[in-house]
């Protein structure tokens, strides 16, 4: 009898300790300040958001992400400034920096596209380096820092020595090259399917080429600064889900193509043309050094107002929440994709420390 009582007491103590440990662990978990995040959804979507939702990663951290379709970068950033959405991610780097220079209080917290933009020209044009652009007509904004920066570095005045042609859409830029109105067009990943099926047009160089600007941080994740300050746990948890989604994507790219194609109601061939292209690199990580470089090039080429000189752009770059999320994921889920998570940590250190 005494032995039975002892065993029962020991079992009760073990259960109590387990419950206590569970409660302590639960108490240590981050609690989101707000559980709903509104995301500006571009036409090509965001594969990490789609995967995090469908794989249950958002649910695991207690978040609901609602994607609101936007037709353009201008519409997305206007909606962000007005508080109609909480995150934009497919609107480049120059566009949000221009908004910050104009007085919008945005903070860049992470990324979506690391690289993926490219130049096209008629077949047999080739590429010898950025000086090929001198004296040519380029269908791109004159604020395209991946092109103007390398020319500045070589001692050129890219604004005066290149004729920059402005068009409303990527399709219009491509059409200008086909028609002979432009020598080159600067295009995004969602045009890769179209370009890949043209007989008379070729990709001459990707913007991340060593001759231009490697790892330039193509599209940044932007939030209003007050949202970041008021919801640090929410932002950290959001990144935890997105980091895990990136790891899954890198291990299941063909599956991700099917999932994203269905999500954005597009043919799989269209999505595969960019998601399976080795030069198109989605990465949720932050690249503070590249953002600062882009800001400085925009200053040097006159695309920011004089008042921008009074702005410390580092005040609008947050690296700590992404890093906290990455540390948490590595601590809890490292065994899932150890090589990928190690590479993400090394990437963070290379571009932010």
């Amino acid at each position: 009898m005494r032995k039975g009582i002892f065993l029962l007491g020991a079992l009760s103590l073990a259960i109590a300790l387990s419950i206590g440990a569970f409660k302590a662990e639960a108490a240590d978990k981050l609690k989101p300040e707000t559980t709903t995040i509104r995301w500006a959804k571009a036409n090509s979507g965001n594969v990490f958001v789609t995967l995090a939702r469908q794989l249950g990663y958002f649910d695991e951290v207690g978040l609901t992400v609602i994607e609101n379709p936007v037709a353009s970068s201008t519409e997305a950033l206007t909606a962000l400034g007005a508080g109609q959405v909480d995150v934009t991610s497919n609107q480049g780097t120059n566009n949000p920096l221009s908004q910050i220079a104009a007085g919008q209080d945005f903070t860049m917290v992470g990324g979506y596209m690391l690289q993926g933009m490219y130049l096209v020209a008629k077949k047999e044009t080739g590429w010898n380096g950025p000086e090929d652009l001198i004296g040519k007509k380029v269908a791109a904004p004159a604020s395209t820092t991946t092109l103007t920066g390398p020319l500045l570095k070589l001692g050129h005045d890219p604004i005066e020595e290149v004729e920059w042609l402005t068009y409303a859409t990527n399709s219009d830029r491509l059409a200008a090259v086909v028609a002979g109105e432009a020598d080159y067009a600067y295009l995004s990943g969602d045009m890769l399917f179209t370009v890949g099926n043209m007989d008379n047009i070729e990709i001459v160089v990707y913007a991340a080429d060593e001759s231009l600007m490697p790892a330039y941080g193509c599209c940044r994740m932007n939030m209003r600064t007050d949202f970041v300050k008021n919801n640090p746990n929410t932002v950290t948890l959001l990144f935890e889900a997105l980091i895990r989604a990136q790891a899954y994507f890198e291990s299941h790219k063909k599956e991700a193509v099917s999932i994203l194609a269905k999500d954005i109601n597009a043919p799989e061939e269209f999505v595969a043309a960019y998601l399976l292209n080795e030069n198109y690199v989605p990465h949720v990580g932050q690249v503070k050094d590249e953002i600062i470089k882009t800001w400085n090039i925009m200053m040097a080429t006159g695309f920011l107002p004089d008042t921008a000189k009074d702005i410390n752009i580092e005040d609008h770059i947050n690296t700590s929440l992404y890093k906290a999320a990455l540390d948490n994921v590595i601590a809890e889920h490292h065994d899932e994709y150890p090589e990928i998570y190690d590479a993400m940590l090394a990437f963070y250190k290379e571009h932010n420390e």
Side-chain angles (χ1 to χ4, degrees):
M1 177 66 72
R2 289 181 180 178
K3 183 177 180 181
I5 294 173
F6 175 78
L7 290 174
L8 181 62
L11 179 61
S12 299
L13 177 60
I15 292 173
L17 290 173
S18 296
I19 293 173
F22 176 80
K23 288 182 177 179
E25 182 181 353
D28 289 339
K29 292 283 187 181
L30 290 179
K31 301 290 192 302
E33 296 87 0
T34 182
T35 59
T36 300
I37 297 175
R38 299 161 300 168
W39 198 299
K41 183 177 184 179
N43 292 334
S44 57
N46 183 310
V47 68
F48 299 150
V49 173
T50 298
L51 290 175
R53 183 178 65 249
Q54 297 205 14
L55 295 172
Y57 296 156
F58 287 144
D59 290 337
E60 287 186 36
V61 295
L63 297 179
T64 298
V65 175
I66 299 172
E67 294 181 276
N68 296 331
V70 291
S72 67
S73 293
T74 299
E75 181 180 328
L77 293 170
T78 299
L80 182 64
Q84 296 167 349
V85 298
D86 305 309
V87 189
T88 66
S89 63
N90 296 51
Q91 285 67 47
T93 302
N94 296 13
N95 291 328
L97 286 178
S98 294
Q99 293 280 323
I100 292 170
Q104 284 283 13
D105 197 5
F106 294 160
T107 293
M108 294 181 169
V109 294
Y112 176 46
M113 288 309 304
L114 175 65
Q115 59 191 57
M117 301 293 285
Y118 51 95
L119 273 175
V120 300
K122 288 188 176 179
K123 283 282 179 71
E124 310 303 329
T125 297
W127 179 256
N128 301 300
E131 290 180 307
D132 283 358
L133 303 177
I134 299 298
K136 299 299 195 323
K137 296 179 180 180
V138 181
S143 59
T144 304
T145 52
T146 50
L147 303 180
T148 60
L151 286 172
L152 275 175
K153 191 174 181 179
L154 291 170
H156 292 282
D157 183 339
I159 307 306
E160 295 298 326
E161 297 182 50
V162 177
E163 185 175 351
W164 304 94
L165 305 179
T166 301
Y167 295 92
T169 67
N170 281 298
S171 296
D172 292 337
R173 294 181 192 175
L174 177 58
V177 174
V178 173
E181 297 171 4
D183 299 298
Y184 298 91
Y186 191 70
L187 304 178
S188 57
D190 57 358
M191 296 298 294
L192 282 167
F193 178 76
T194 300
V195 171
N197 286 280
M198 299 180 75
D199 295 328
N200 58 337
I201 299 295
E202 67 177 354
I203 296 173
V204 295
V205 68
Y206 282 86
D209 186 80
E210 289 294 330
S211 65
L212 294 175
M213 193 179 294
Y216 56 95
C218 181
C219 288
R220 296 295 85 203
M221 268 180 64
N222 313 291
M223 295 181 171
R224 295 182 309 282
T225 300
D226 62 347
F227 185 92
V228 177
K229 290 181 177 178
N230 294 333
N231 302 281
N233 290 356
T234 295
V235 177
T236 302
L237 292 168
L238 176 66
F239 272 122
E240 288 186 22
L242 295 173
I243 288 166
R244 294 182 69 194
Q246 178 177 333
Y248 189 90
F249 164 74
E250 292 187 14
S251 301
H252 303 79
K253 287 190 177 182
K254 290 185 178 180
E255 179 187 344
V257 166
S258 299
I259 292 172
L260 182 61
K262 185 177 180 179
D263 189 54
I264 64 174
N265 194 28
E268 288 195 15
E269 295 83 359
F270 171 81
V271 175
Y274 57 92
L275 277 192
L276 299 185
N277 186 311
E278 64 180 7
N279 295 288
Y280 184 92
V281 182
H283 199 298
V284 73
Q286 185 59 290
V287 287
K288 180 180 74 173
D289 295 345
E290 281 66 30
I291 295 172
I292 295 171
K293 183 187 299 182
T294 299
W295 174 267
N296 291 337
I297 294 171
M298 292 178 73
M299 288 287 291
T301 50
F303 284 94
L304 300 179
D306 288 340
T307 52
K309 296 176 182 177
D310 300 325
I311 297 174
N312 181 359
I313 194 57
E314 292 195 46
D315 292 340
H316 296 268
I317 305 170
N318 186 298
T319 63
S320 62
L321 299 180
Y322 170 78
K323 179 56 164 53
L326 182 57
D327 289 343
N328 291 345
V329 169
I330 288 174
E332 296 183 31
H333 305 286
H334 185 262
D335 289 346
E336 292 177 347
Y337 304 104
E339 292 182 2
I340 294 175
Y341 291 138
D342 289 347
M344 293 175 80
L345 181 59
F347 177 89
Y348 174 85
K349 292 178 178 179
E350 179 182 356
H351 296 280
N352 297 278
E353 293 182 350

